[in-house]
Amino acid sequence: MIRTVPTGPIAGQRPGTSGLRKKVPIFQASHYVENFVQSIFDAVKLPAGATLVVGGDGRFFNRECVQTVLKMAAANGIGRVILGQGGIMSTPAVSNMIRSRRAAGGIILSASHNPGGPEGDFGIKYNVGNGGPAPEKVTEAIFERSEAITAFRIWDGADLDIDSVGETRLGGMVVEIVDPVADYAALMQTLFDFDRIRALFASGFSMRYDAMSAVTGPYAKAILEGTLGAARGTVVNGMPLPDFGGNHPDPNLKYARSLFELAMSREAPDLCAASDGDGDRNLIIGRGLFVTPSDSLALLAANAHLAPGYAQGLAGIARSMPTSGAADRVAARHGIRLYETPTGWKFFGNLLDAGLATLCGEESAGTGSNHVREKDGLWAVLLWLNILAVRRQGVAEIVRAHWAEYGRTFYARHDYEEIDADGAAAMIGALRARLPDLKGQRFGVSEVEAADDFAYHDPVDGSYSEHQGLRLIFSGGSRLVYRLSGTGTAGATLRVYLERFEPDPARHDEETGAVLGELAALSRSLAEIERFTGRKQPSVVT
Ligand code: G16
């Protein structure tokens, strides 16, 4: 039986960079999930009988939320929901499922790399029919609807068994519960030379893959250990847990510290890799060398043709604005277009759909291609493995050869987390106002060649997105970028991105902190970070 329940708007349901993300207790509040999910259905107006893919990263509240989404889908005219067994499906696998099953869209339950558990974070994201995150006009429509909502519709009945693969019904809606790994694994097999990767492992190549007790464990075990013959135990923390084992499922140098230490130790395997809560981010560390996400994009772009799925070469490369210029040099050398977009994977969707870009990447540990419309952590690891299997050189060797050929872009991101939101906004506002005056000013040895507030004209649909980060470009190949995070759930997070290009191979082994030291000091003084935020130093440097 369908029930229509009166409700009223709940403040603050505006989706951020990647869906609606809040603390779990906020999601648990009465009508919070229902209001947002109804706002999605009202705003996107799917045709009656449409197919929807639903999956989550298994974090705390995933199972409860799946039940609500199923009951509301049944009450809103959805014909079929394809659900990952146990309510679990990685973000890239959802994207693939939407595309391969020609679904109208999908609902992803995840707060990505944010911590989980009863006091952790939760999130709901809507993906559209191309498999990618909803574009801004859709997320805006969802938000507007949430501000005017008066009722939601829900199926009144018992919870469904979501753990057995097969078809069941909820009212007039079919619920198809699928193995979340199978289709994704089959897609990977079409892109990469599995025989060669198998031969690489058979030759004694060693690897550690840290699934961070998050969603990619079952995927990595099936593909790496099951199909490709990696030694048992290659995948660690391979069981998805509601609280990620109490850890923060963010594959960076802070939260994947033990993996980093292993990679730097004498026992280091040939490759260390990790993915995040929902499986879309990746971390790559070779023996003794961490590969920055910006460098990883450039390296993958320069070598992608070694994998069967990219043997024809790349149509173009896209990167988010704060991602370093390393990929630009690869694009220039190969005579292909480089697109610079605002932060957020949704901005790559049109470029991929139009065939303008083949590879995309972001400094925030995201890399992906036109195979789906999300960034894809395990895909990036498999592309690296394919390249290593063909080149038969170590990660560090390949990276150093790349720097020697293209130059090295030293890169770091400084995060000032949980700062006061008003102070952060005032700081950005003050710096924005000063941008025209900064142009032409000299700081130390370099001069500000350009200073702007990044805006983006989508070349495909003409949409315009402004205020996407403040950029200062210096003579001599340095750049500073300031922007406020769109994924935090407490206060504001200021991100400052620093880079410096170094063409001279004799200087490529210098330490990043030392190379960027002067720029880091300038980043603080120029924006008066301490005055506005009270912080002398960043809380995380990656
Ligand atoms: C999300 C988006 C990414 C984006 C990141 C930026 O990542 O999907 O495309 O780069 O947010 O985060 P922030 O706004 O905090 O800098 P994820 O992995 O959280 O979905």
Side-chain angles (χ1 to χ4, degrees):
M1 197 189 76
I2 295 170
R3 259 196 319 139
T4 300
V5 183
T7 188
I10 299 174
Q13 293 201 321
R14 183 192 284 279
T17 314
S18 195
L20 183 67
R21 277 188 202 166
K22 301 281 176 197
K23 296 277 173 214
V24 166
I26 294 180
F27 271 99
Q28 287 170 321
S30 172
H31 294 189
Y32 195 86
V33 169
E34 290 84 346
N35 273 19
F36 189 66
V37 173
Q38 188 64 51
S39 302
I40 294 174
F41 287 130
D42 290 349
V44 302
K45 297 190 186 70
L46 298 178
T51 297
L52 196 68
V53 179
V54 177
D57 63 10
R59 68 178 58 225
F60 186 85
F61 197 55
N62 194 74
R63 294 179 70 87
E64 293 84 337
C65 195
V66 162
Q67 296 289 348
T68 308
V69 170
L70 288 177
K71 290 174 188 173
M72 293 188 66
N76 278 277
I78 299 298
R80 174 180 292 260
V81 163
I82 302 170
L83 175 73
Q85 187 180 17
I88 286 188
M89 203 183 293
S90 79
T91 292
V94 170
S95 184
N96 176 47
M97 192 68 81
I98 294 171
R99 296 166 65 76
S100 66
R101 296 290 304 272
R102 299 187 191 288
I107 291 181
I108 300 177
L109 309 177
S110 168
S112 190
H113 54 287
N114 294 9
E119 302 303 323
D121 292 346
F122 193 77
I124 303 182
K125 183 168 84 155
Y126 184 71
N127 279 30
V128 292
N130 75 349
E136 274 187 338
K137 60 176 187 304
V138 176
T139 54
E140 238 354 82
I142 294 170
F143 173 62
E144 275 167 25
R145 183 64 202 147
S146 77
E147 296 226 291
I149 193 164
T150 56
F152 63 83
R153 284 186 297 287
I154 189 159
W155 179 258
D156 203 4
D159 281 0
L160 216 69
D161 167 14
I162 57 171
D163 295 312
S164 317
V165 168
E167 282 192 8
T168 71
R169 293 189 87 86
L170 201 57
M173 183 179 85
V174 175
V175 181
E176 179 185 341
I177 297 172
V178 299
D179 168 2
V181 176
D183 285 31
Y184 176 85
L187 173 66
M188 292 302 116
Q189 199 138 9
T190 66
L191 299 173
F192 302 117
D193 191 337
F194 272 27
D195 287 340
R196 268 185 120 145
I197 304 176
R198 230 177 261 122
L200 178 73
F201 279 119
S203 73
F205 181 89
S206 58
M207 175 177 181
R208 165 82 55 98
Y209 179 93
D210 192 340
M212 305 193 92
S213 304
V215 79
T216 57
Y219 294 82
K221 273 196 201 151
I223 297 173
L224 298 176
E225 295 184 16
T227 309
L228 295 172
R232 278 185 75 127
T234 294
V235 178
V236 298
N237 299 316
M239 172 81 96
L241 299 174
D243 66 347
F244 307 119
N247 296 319
H248 196 138
D250 190 353
N252 64 22
L253 299 186
K254 179 170 179 182
Y255 300 115
R257 194 74 207 166
S258 58
L259 189 72
F260 177 74
E261 279 163 5
L262 174 69
M264 298 302 139
S265 75
R266 281 219 217 141
E267 290 77 46
D270 294 301
L271 176 66
C272 285
S275 190
D276 70 330
D278 63 331
D280 56 4
R281 297 186 173 209
N282 74 87
L283 171 69
I284 300 288
I285 319 176
R287 236 187 221 135
L289 188 103
F290 158 63
V291 187
T292 68
S294 295
D295 269 354
S296 186
L297 172 65
L299 273 136
L300 293 180
N303 291 282
H305 61 280
L306 301 176
Y310 308 95
Q312 311 303 324
L314 308 177
I317 307 170
R319 65 161 173 84
S320 66
M321 182 275 280
T323 304
S324 94
D328 304 32
R329 295 190 172 82
V330 176
R333 179 79 53 95
H334 293 257
I336 54 179
R337 276 288 301 269
L338 184 287
Y339 297 88
E340 188 174 31
T341 61
T343 294
W345 204 263
K346 58 191 169 202
F347 291 101
F348 295 135
N350 282 343
L351 299 173
L352 293 167
D353 285 350
L356 297 175
T358 309
L359 286 202
C360 306
E362 297 187 289
E363 51 66 40
S364 56
T367 336
S369 85
N370 57 356
H371 69 291
V372 289
R373 295 293 180 272
E374 289 277 3
K375 53 190 186 273
D376 189 343
L378 196 49
W379 167 90
V381 174
L382 290 168
L383 181 49
W384 263 101
L385 281 170
N386 195 140
I387 292 165
L388 294 166
V390 174
R391 290 187 55 167
R392 292 289 175 128
Q393 293 167 303
V395 173
E397 209 180 329
I398 292 178
V399 171
R400 290 210 167 83
H402 184 94
W403 290 340
E405 190 176 349
Y406 294 92
R408 175 173 183 188
T409 307
F410 286 91
Y411 190 84
R413 187 176 95 184
H414 291 188
D415 295 334
Y416 299 78
E417 295 174 318
E418 297 193 18
I419 54 177
D420 174 60
D422 293 339
M427 193 216 90
I428 292 285
L431 187 59
R432 179 181 290 128
R434 286 174 51 216
L435 288 176
D437 302 335
L438 287 171
K439 190 158 177 254
Q441 277 196 38
R442 191 159 263 288
F443 296 93
V445 291
S446 45
E447 182 182 315
V448 180
E449 284 183 340
D452 69 359
D453 185 358
F454 183 65
Y456 178 66
H457 261 294
D458 186 303
V460 180
D461 67 10
S463 58
Y464 183 65
S465 307
E466 54 185 352
H467 303 314
Q468 298 294 330
L470 309 182
R471 298 194 278 198
L472 289 116
I473 297 164
F474 297 87
S475 57
S478 293
R479 186 180 74 152
L480 274 180
V481 173
Y482 299 82
R483 67 175 275 279
L484 299 180
S485 155
T487 60
T489 56
T493 292
L494 167 67
R495 302 205 195 284
V496 184
Y497 310 82
L498 308 95
E499 76 180 77
R500 207 187 106 186
F501 179 63
E502 178 53 71
D504 180 3
R507 306 195 59 182
H508 286 170
D509 278 327
E510 288 181 18
E511 205 259 315
T512 301
V515 172
L516 296 177
E518 212 175 295
L519 199 59
L522 180 62
S523 77
R524 292 188 285 270
S525 60
L526 201 65
E528 299 181 90
I529 293 179
E530 187 180 354
R531 180 161 83 83
F532 283 104
T533 71
R535 299 284 176 86
K536 279 189 172 30
Q537 297 290 338
S539 36
V540 183
V541 174
T542 48

